[in-house]
Amino acid sequence: MEEHNQMQEELQKGYEDEQIRVLEGLEAVRIRPGMYIGTTSSGGLHHLVYEIVDNAIDETQAGECDTILVTVNSDNSITVKDNGRGIPGGINPQVGLPTLEVVYTKLHAGGKFGDGGYKVAGGLHGVGASVTNALSEFLEVTSCHGGKKYTERFERGEVAIPFKCEGDTDDHGVTVHFKPDPTIFEVTEFDYDVLLNRMREQSFLNAGVKIILKDEREGCEQENTLHFEGGIASYVDYLNGLKSCERIHPEVIYMKIGTPSELPMAEVAIQYNDSYNETVISFANSMATIEGGMHETGFRTALTKVMNDYAKKVGILKGDDKLSGEDVREGICAVISVKLENAQFESQTKAKLGNSEMRTLVDNLITKKLSEYLEENPNTGKMILEKSLAASRAREAARKARELTRRKSVLEGSTLPGKLADCQERRTELTELYLVEGDSAGGSAKDGRDSRFQAILPLRGKVLNVEKSRLDKVYSNQSLIPIIQALGCGIGEEFDIEKLRYGKIIIMADADVDGSHIRVLLLTFFFRHMRQLIEEGHIYLAQPPLYKIHRGKIVKYAFNDAEKEKIIEELGTSAEAERYKGLGEMDPEQLWETTMDPSYRTLLRVNIQDAIRCDQLFSVLMGDQVEPRREFIEQNAKFAENLDI
Ligand code: 1YM
């Protein structure tokens, strides 16, 4: 009770002044929500949940909590409940406010202001629960700590029912109930699958924690329990299970240094499969580092070194022969997770880890533990080496083929493909390359374009499915060579984005099933062999109209059925609508007006929001197993339709 009296006194003193300062802080969040949560669309909405869950996960990492319950309530509000220590009921001496109130009303970057604890789970910018509070219609906290139950209610970040002690309890832990503010968010409906993916990822990254996710909305009632004792080793097993390929050794290799309470900590899990591509995903403080960074660099360098040393040791590599980085990563599925204080994130999206000490830490971990593992498990070692050697031989065969036919110079861009109608402009940032399906559409595009900055490359024949082919086939494929030549930036090990000849690469294919197939084949090629083009936003999809509607001399275009109906209403019932069967039906002027004129057209920029999802999408859509593909398409019709991956 003493704690409580002291609190009342402190409150009298500094409350009003403080309250004003605090509100100014959260007001900034309400004025510019994008700066704190990225967007006010679906991504930002879900982010509100992650901030609260992150605090509960921190508590599990402190060893004080094992279960987190996340409920989407029937009114689209969210309840997050943990069974940890609860937030202490005292007054924070620095600000003279209840600690609980400080947690929910103070913007703070990074470090927690409790008893010397630190924050590792980390939200987008480490700003924490106060951002969720600022952007919620209401947020209620119940904290059971040290035998007492405390509550407080906020509305749009302001105190609505002050902090109070409700009395005694045997319970412990924190419960937060909030509802996103509909005046801030464009979307207020939670997507269960988005929450499920994030909760699954978090439970893989924090071994042992049990997260129960529940949907109580009418007609959507469901529940998932996410609990993986194996942590990231279970993650790798899960990822390999999603892919349409076979594992080449039975166990996941797991290596670790440090613990959550002894930072820094690094852990890596690896298992090879029989595909030709690599899936390496990395995290720092449980946040995905999509652009990699120091921990990934350390991993790659050490893996190449360890595999070469091992191959020499067992006598498989002789003399100066070497396995390249790409060779030893063919078919790898790996998850890297590091936890550290003072994480530095670089690049525009803050998705690249800059702390160089993480390169050394991961390098040391792999060098020591992976060498030991291979020594102790020679059968697994042999399987992996055989895979790397096969990759190396294929690469060598590709190199020879290239030299023989002087394809090297062909691929490196000194020659341009015969079919290319190039543009006059040379500054990459101003130019566009249209990859056009079919010769007749290619002809219209050539005649309709603005040749000052638009280049056209008609695609010939069927585009190779790179998911089923090794590099040597990719390099010698007649449908891909002209694309590689026109882009000028090389491929694979020789890829150099500085040499890219066009700022926008626009895929223009029909709006039908065949067109959709070509789009997916080209995207698979870019994703697997020139991923940086997608990451840096160079790849676009043209959006040709579906209908031409005319009445007398008035001609309008519609891009979907709703637009068609609207235009017919405007023009009157005598208006006629024709459905385009393909791009080839449009004359050059129509193609320019509807699809190529920068002042009228709409382009979809392809971005990688979720590299894991993408990897899975291509491996299942394009792999050679039919059953998983059918299942996947049935479950994910929205992905097959929506190519904005
Ligand atoms: C449903 C959300 O926030 N749980 C939670 C938060 C805290 C603690 C325990 C906690 C942390 C510490 C000490 C510490 C927080 N405490 C603070 C502050 N669940 C949820 N569970 N005692 C309890 O880190 O030292 C901030 S969050 F400020 F008190 F340290």
Side-chain angles (χ1 to χ4, degrees):
M1 216 50 206
E2 219 192 278
E3 198 172 58
H4 195 65
N5 289 339
Q6 179 208 346
M7 176 189 91
Q8 294 296 355
E9 251 182 63
E10 299 270 355
L11 282 182
Q12 307 287 305
K13 271 191 263 152
Y15 203 83
E16 282 180 5
D17 287 356
E18 262 314 314
Q19 196 58 19
I20 291 164
R21 231 165 55 89
V22 166
L23 284 183
E24 274 171 5
L26 290 192
E27 199 51 35
V29 181
R30 293 184 56 83
I31 293 168
R32 289 204 184 74
M35 273 187 52
Y36 298 87
I37 52 165
T39 72
T40 52
S41 59
S42 175
L45 180 80
H46 292 84
H47 198 87
L48 301 187
V49 184
Y50 309 157
E51 288 292 355
I52 305 297
V53 173
D54 281 353
N55 276 347
I57 287 179
D58 281 359
E59 187 66 355
T60 68
Q61 293 301 287
E64 304 281 355
C65 159
D66 60 18
T67 306
I68 302 169
L69 175 64
V70 181
T71 311
V72 185
N73 302 304
S74 52
D75 62 348
N76 247 300
S77 67
I78 297 280
T79 304
V80 185
K81 181 177 183 352
D82 70 43
N83 64 348
R85 288 167 292 179
I87 300 174
I91 300 289
N92 180 294
Q94 279 146 35
V95 280
L97 288 174
T99 301
L100 186 151
E101 192 168 311
V102 177
V103 173
Y104 284 91
T105 55
K106 287 280 186 200
L107 284 171
H108 53 96
K112 247 188 214 170
F113 26 77
D115 329 317
Y118 39 75
K119 187 174 166 65
V120 291
L124 185 65
H125 304 109
V127 282
S130 59
V131 169
T132 302
N133 188 20
L135 302 176
S136 292
E137 195 178 300
F138 68 82
L139 181 145
E140 294 166 340
V141 191
T142 306
S143 169
C144 298
H145 175 97
K148 295 265 184 272
K149 178 174 170 180
Y150 305 95
T151 56
E152 184 156 4
R153 178 182 163 100
F154 307 88
E155 286 170 13
R156 305 199 153 91
E158 294 182 45
V159 176
I161 304 176
F163 178 77
K164 63 171 176 275
C165 178
E166 303 257 3
D168 295 342
T169 178
D170 292 335
D171 206 358
H172 55 94
V174 181
T175 305
V176 176
H177 176 207
F178 71 94
K179 189 168 189 197
D181 186 343
T183 64
I184 302 258
F185 290 95
E186 294 147 40
V187 187
T188 50
E189 190 122 336
F190 285 99
D191 182 334
Y192 187 82
D193 289 340
V194 170
L195 293 174
L196 179 60
N197 273 325
R198 168 80 180 200
M199 296 308 130
R200 185 187 294 117
E201 176 188 279
Q202 290 300 316
S203 51
F204 280 130
L205 292 170
N206 299 284
V209 52
K210 187 198 273 183
I211 304 181
I212 303 166
L213 178 64
K214 250 187 181 172
D215 198 336
E216 292 195 337
R217 288 171 298 186
E218 215 183 302
C220 315
E221 291 87 353
Q222 55 190 317
E223 183 175 323
N224 288 80
T225 300
L226 305 156
H227 184 203
F228 304 102
E229 285 298 347
I232 63 166
S234 308
Y235 201 175
V236 165
D237 182 58
Y238 168 80
L239 291 172
N240 268 330
L242 291 176
K243 286 171 146 265
S244 59
C245 55
E246 303 292 332
R247 299 154 171 94
I248 65 166
H249 54 97
E251 10 163 334
V252 176
I253 307 170
Y254 175 76
M255 296 155 279
K256 174 180 174 172
I257 185 165
T259 66
S261 50
E262 270 172 67
L263 299 185
M265 140 174 180
E267 48 177 352
V268 176
I270 301 174
Q271 188 180 38
Y272 283 79
N273 57 57
D274 64 359
S275 77
Y276 302 133
N277 44 60
E278 60 172 271
T279 304
V280 175
I281 56 174
S282 65
F283 299 85
N285 293 350
S286 297
M287 283 199 287
T289 36
I290 295 170
E291 292 179 60
M294 290 298 176
H295 50 341
E296 267 198 30
T297 308
F299 169 75
R300 285 173 208 273
T301 318
L303 180 72
T304 311
K305 197 172 57 192
V306 168
M307 293 310 296
N308 272 291
D309 289 352
Y310 182 65
K312 287 255 159 68
K313 198 162 173 197
V314 298
I316 283 186
L317 272 189
K318 304 241 156 51
D320 287 341
D321 286 353
K322 271 201 186 94
L323 296 168
S324 73
E326 289 195 344
D327 295 338
V328 302
R329 291 194 305 273
E330 188 182 283
I332 201 172
C333 177
V335 174
I336 306 163
S337 166
V338 297
K339 292 186 179 159
L340 67 158
E341 285 178 79
N342 301 320
Q344 304 290 321
F345 293 100
E346 291 174 354
S347 90
Q348 229 173 358
T349 57
K350 299 276 173 229
K352 186 173 182 180
L353 184 69
N355 302 62
S356 61
E357 69 275 17
M358 288 301 114
R359 186 182 52 212
T360 325
L361 189 73
V362 178
D363 188 321
N364 290 344
L365 171 69
I366 298 289
T367 304
K368 183 164 182 294
K369 296 281 174 63
L370 185 60
S371 312
E372 279 172 19
Y373 186 92
L374 296 171
E375 287 292 321
E376 288 161 17
N377 300 274
N379 284 343
T380 302
K382 202 171 134 237
M383 300 292 237
I384 299 174
L385 267 190
E386 272 169 12
K387 175 86 172 138
S388 302
L389 275 175
S392 172
R393 285 192 202 110
R395 218 173 300 282
E396 189 53 35
R399 238 185 306 265
K400 288 213 175 103
R402 232 166 19 184
E403 274 160 23
L404 271 179
T405 58
R406 287 210 208 93
R407 200 164 278 137
K408 194 167 167 62
S409 65
V410 170
L411 290 178
E412 278 175 358
S414 51
T415 344
L416 288 172
K419 283 266 175 184
L420 175 76
D422 210 355
C423 56
Q424 290 141 25
E425 180 59 59
R426 282 284 155 260
R427 284 169 293 179
T428 301
E429 62 278 16
L430 302 178
T431 57
E432 303 178 345
L433 174 67
Y434 277 84
L435 301 176
V436 189
E437 171 194 4
D439 276 345
S440 77
S444 293
K446 273 183 197 171
D447 294 338
R449 69 181 172 144
D450 183 334
S451 63
R452 285 173 304 178
F453 67 97
Q454 292 179 321
I456 309 293
L457 182 66
L459 301 175
R460 303 207 59 195
K462 211 168 159 308
V463 177
L464 179 76
N465 178 358
V466 299
E467 203 64 31
K468 290 189 198 162
S469 340
R470 270 230 169 87
L471 258 185
D472 49 345
K473 269 211 202 150
V474 175
Y475 283 177
S476 56
N477 181 263
Q478 295 305 318
S479 66
L480 295 175
I481 287 174
I483 301 176
I484 305 170
Q485 286 175 324
L487 295 180
C489 52
I491 181 171
E493 282 164 341
E494 284 129 30
F495 181 84
D496 179 2
I497 200 152
E498 294 297 316
K499 294 193 184 145
L500 181 66
R501 299 180 62 249
Y502 306 94
K504 289 194 175 77
I505 299 139
I506 304 167
I507 302 172
M508 186 154 77
D510 288 339
D512 58 11
V513 182
D514 287 345
S516 171
H517 194 210
I518 288 172
R519 273 189 291 274
V520 177
L521 288 168
L522 285 171
L523 289 176
T524 312
F525 168 64
F526 289 128
F527 183 74
R528 292 290 181 213
H529 297 284
M530 299 186 176
R531 190 172 302 182
Q532 217 181 335
L533 294 183
I534 301 187
E535 285 169 350
E536 298 192 9
H538 291 287
I539 308 289
Y540 294 81
L541 303 177
Q543 297 289 92
L546 273 185
Y547 298 100
K548 174 181 169 183
I549 302 137
H550 55 96
R551 206 191 75 182
K553 282 199 175 129
I554 309 173
V555 178
K556 296 211 166 187
Y557 302 96
F559 292 83
N560 53 46
D561 288 307
E563 256 179 41
K564 181 190 77 174
E565 296 307 327
K566 211 171 138 226
I567 293 172
I568 292 179
E569 224 168 79
E570 275 167 28
L571 296 183
T573 41
S574 61
E576 281 178 51
E578 266 176 68
R579 194 184 163 105
Y580 281 116
K581 289 198 195 69
L583 290 165
E585 280 181 23
M586 275 189 241
D587 62 36
E589 288 72 33
Q590 286 171 340
L591 198 56
W592 163 256
E593 274 175 21
T594 60
T595 316
M596 299 177 73
D597 176 359
S599 60
Y600 186 81
R601 72 182 178 196
T602 34
L603 292 181
L604 278 187
R605 189 202 289 247
V606 177
N607 61 4
I608 303 188
Q609 284 158 356
D610 185 337
I612 301 168
R613 201 92 189 115
C614 247
D615 187 85
Q616 189 195 341
L617 175 75
F618 289 128
S619 121
V620 178
L621 279 181
M622 295 293 152
D624 49 13
Q625 294 185 15
V626 177
E627 190 52 23
R629 173 159 56 233
R630 196 182 56 77
E631 254 174 45
F632 186 84
I633 292 175
E634 278 171 11
Q635 284 168 14
N636 292 280
K638 61 184 176 190
F639 283 101
E641 276 299 302
N642 177 5
L643 284 161
D644 190 15
I645 44 180

